[in-house]
Amino acid sequence: MLTFIKKIGRSILFKLLLVFLITAVVLVLAVGSIIRHYADDSPHRRLMGKNLAQYSIYLIQEIGVPPDLKRAQSLANRLGIAIAVVTPAAQWSSEVLPDDKVQYRRVSGFPQVERARHRGRLFIRISKPSAQFLLVFGKRGDWEGDDYGEVLLLLLLVIGAILTLSYLLVRWLLTPLAWLTNGMKRMSEGQLDTTIPIRKFDELGDLTQAFNDMSAKIRNAVRAKQQLLLDVSHELRSPLTRMKLAAEFIQDNKVKKQIVTDLHEMEVMTTEILESDRLSSEQGGLSYATIELTALIEEIVVSYQGQSPGVKILSEGAVSVSVDPERARVLFRNVIDNALKYSKDQSRPVEVNVGSEATSVWVTVEDFGEGIPQQDQPLLFEPFYRVDKSRHKQTGGYGLGLSLCKKIMAAHGGDITVSSKPGRSTRFTITFPKRR
Ligand code: ATP
Ligand code: MG
């Protein structure tokens, strides 16, 4: 309930409707009271008042003193009015009159006559020494007040209809806002090719146009940066190959080892950048084959033999799935490599599990190392993102492995996710769909 009120309070649509409503009410009240003020004071009205007073006096003379009640009743019936007579001895009225308080005003020039407007009827009271007469002009049903109910209902219906119409109209006028919100959400999710249709040529249309211009500029800037990165990575490949060859001739074994390791790291980085781009540019860049996942993982684990704290494969049964075996290998190598790299030598061994469900096949890789802080987990799959840059200096790497893994899984129509308890364990879950 509270959130609903908060949501409504934030809605510009609701605020506009409220402004409409308040304006309408204020307008009606203002116009109504102005008209009333002038109508009450009009000369015709004063003249009519005097005529009516005189007419009432004639009517009373018809009834006579002492009052002839039979005559009064027949007058009331004939003229369609209500008559009441109050004498010190008795009280009589031609119909039941309500006993609520009526505010009378004197009629100038007629000392005995007072008038009042009450519940839509006109009251004339004439006070004689012997009796007091009351003449009530107007429709009889008004007393019961059932007309008020009808009027109120009609009023509510009209207000409801007007509000509904204005709601629809305002909502239609504000549709570009919803489109803009959607577009910005898509942009922030990384869909840079977002453009919003312009169907209104007003300020919101201008805003949409500005958004589209901005998104085009951002798109171009990002593309240019990406292209630069790709070009640099590509151009680095040949000098890297030449340097690797040259490194073979270095005499000092320690220096040679260091240089070869650095060169290897750079080569892995350029390959990861180029590979990532290839995967995102052509979705069909995968060449599928049905493989046995556990066997593939065992094969990879063999190459990490002797590296502490070691890897244990817990699953037994064979799980077949159709994937691009080369890309799957790159993926598992990256995740297992991370698990070992970010464990301590004395940690529990890394655990790999493979399983199958109705529509998917999953692999979990869990290590019991340093873990990943909660706030870093959503950013892990961004290119070049590393949790603790200074601490990880000695582990090497550029923060590209997981972003490549994400791309590989997206190309397969699957996903890779992480969950971690900082200081205790980290688990990566990889899911491949069974059907392509
Ligand atoms: P690269 O893989 O490019 O050689 P990298 O390993 O640093 O370098 P990623 O594999 O993308 O890059 O991982 C990004 C960051 O995520 C790592 O720097 C590390 O901080 C964190 N990380 C990844 N896996 C784990 C893990 N199993 N335990 C703790 N932190 C991890
Ligand atoms: Mg890595």
Side-chain angles (χ1 to χ4, degrees):
M1 187 65 191
L2 206 71
T3 48
F4 178 71
I5 292 173
K6 263 191 196 155
K7 203 174 154 192
I8 278 194
R10 277 177 46 214
S11 151
I12 194 161
L13 194 90
F14 174 76
K15 284 178 192 157
L16 280 176
L17 283 181
L18 207 66
V19 170
F20 274 176
L21 199 67
I22 293 172
T23 315
V25 169
V26 168
L27 211 67
V28 166
L29 287 181
V31 170
S33 55
I34 287 172
I35 288 177
R36 230 183 131 129
H37 178 74
Y38 283 103
D40 264 0
D41 254 16
S42 78
H44 302 291
R45 216 181 164 99
R46 251 175 280 148
L47 198 62
M48 278 304 293
K50 283 185 176 166
N51 277 283
L52 199 64
Q54 188 61 61
Y55 170 68
S56 305
I57 289 170
Y58 289 147
L59 278 185
I60 285 180
Q61 280 167 4
E62 283 269 314
I63 297 169
V65 183
D68 180 346
L69 297 181
K70 243 189 183 153
R71 219 191 165 93
Q73 184 68 60
S74 89
L75 263 178
N77 292 346
R78 192 146 47 86
L79 299 176
I81 60 175
I83 300 176
V85 183
V86 181
T87 59
Q91 203 167 340
W92 174 88
S93 68
S94 64
E95 65 177 73
V96 185
L97 294 175
D99 50 3
D100 34 347
K101 207 143 176 63
V102 180
Q103 291 281 331
Y104 286 98
R105 278 197 289 170
R106 299 210 155 274
V107 179
S108 66
F110 294 83
Q112 303 164 332
V113 185
E114 292 162 302
R115 47 168 287 176
R117 194 165 266 288
H118 183 67
R119 295 220 199 173
R121 296 175 100 184
L122 188 64
F123 285 61
I124 304 282
R125 187 163 72 180
I126 303 170
S127 307
K128 298 258 185 197
S130 56
Q132 196 180 53
F133 297 86
L134 181 62
L135 305 176
V136 184
F137 302 83
K139 230 173 82 203
R140 194 182 171 151
D142 290 352
W143 291 123
E144 286 76 35
D146 33 0
D147 274 12
Y148 281 106
E150 266 174 45
V151 169
L152 206 68
L153 192 71
L154 194 71
L155 209 68
L156 281 182
L157 278 180
V158 169
I159 290 179
I162 291 176
L163 273 184
T164 313
L165 269 180
S166 12
Y167 168 79
L168 292 175
L169 188 72
V170 174
R171 209 179 65 168
W172 176 75
L173 280 173
L174 293 183
T175 31
L177 271 190
W179 295 340
L180 271 167
T181 315
N182 262 336
M184 288 190 192
K185 266 193 202 137
R186 267 184 286 149
M187 275 288 271
S188 66
E189 279 162 10
Q191 295 181 39
L192 295 184
D193 48 358
T194 302
T195 47
I196 299 170
I198 300 174
R199 284 192 217 140
K200 292 222 168 69
F201 297 94
D202 51 15
E203 283 88 343
L204 286 178
D206 296 345
L207 187 62
T208 313
Q209 182 63 54
F211 174 87
N212 284 344
D213 293 348
M214 179 194 73
S215 89
K217 279 194 184 126
I218 292 177
R219 200 157 49 233
N220 289 340
V222 169
R223 287 221 176 111
K225 281 238 170 79
Q226 224 162 7
Q227 196 53 48
L228 179 72
L229 190 64
L230 287 176
D231 291 347
V232 170
S233 310
H234 191 259
E235 293 311 310
L236 275 176
R237 280 157 82 89
S238 342
L240 271 176
T241 316
R242 286 200 297 274
M243 279 155 85
K244 260 167 77 183
L245 272 177
E248 290 303 322
F249 297 103
I250 294 174
Q251 299 298 323
D252 185 337
N253 256 341
K254 211 174 142 212
V255 175
K256 181 175 163 184
K257 201 174 158 219
Q258 185 58 48
I259 289 181
V260 168
T261 316
D262 286 351
L263 286 174
H264 175 72
E265 218 172 70
M266 280 176 80
E267 203 178 14
V268 168
M269 180 191 72
T270 50
T271 315
E272 277 174 346
I273 291 174
L274 292 170
E275 184 69 6
S276 282
D277 182 67
R278 218 150 62 89
L279 274 172
S280 49
S281 62
E282 26 164 338
Q283 283 282 48
L286 302 177
S287 45
Y288 281 92
T290 302
I291 54 144
E292 210 282 283
L293 264 187
T294 320
L296 181 94
I297 292 168
E298 269 164 1
E299 205 183 298
I300 293 166
V301 168
V302 168
S303 60
Y304 287 101
Q305 244 169 14
Q307 198 164 323
S308 56
V311 184
K312 266 205 302 203
I313 299 175
L314 298 178
S315 59
E316 280 150 20
V319 176
S320 293
V321 67
S322 169
V323 294
D324 180 327
E326 264 326 299
R327 261 59 177 262
R329 215 166 260 137
V330 170
L331 172 106
F332 290 122
R333 214 175 281 137
N334 262 301
V335 178
I336 293 173
D337 186 75
N338 280 349
L340 287 169
K341 203 154 69 167
Y342 302 112
S343 290
K344 296 179 197 86
D345 288 353
Q346 68 278 14
S347 306
R348 248 167 79 186
V350 173
E351 290 175 2
V352 182
N353 234 317
V354 185
S356 167
E357 262 161 39
T359 56
S360 61
V361 166
W362 53 262
V363 180
T364 59
V365 177
E366 183 166 17
D367 68 76
F368 304 90
E370 57 194 65
I372 302 162
Q374 194 68 40
Q375 71 269 20
D376 290 300
Q377 291 176 20
L379 301 165
L380 228 53
F381 300 98
E382 297 292 321
F384 296 108
Y385 191 82
R386 306 198 73 203
V387 172
D388 185 344
K389 288 169 188 76
S390 55
R391 190 148 56 95
H392 288 167
K393 198 103 207 152
Q394 70 272 23
T395 56
Y398 295 91
L400 284 168
L402 286 178
S403 96
L404 178 60
C405 291
K406 195 82 179 174
K407 290 226 165 88
I408 291 175
M409 289 319 292
H412 278 93
D415 202 6
I416 171 167
T417 56
V418 64
S419 68
S420 178
K421 296 188 196 100
R424 289 170 61 189
S425 64
T426 306
R427 171 191 291 191
F428 282 89
T429 306
I430 297 144
T431 13
F432 291 100
K434 275 191 176 163
R435 277 165 186 274
R436 263 190 260 157

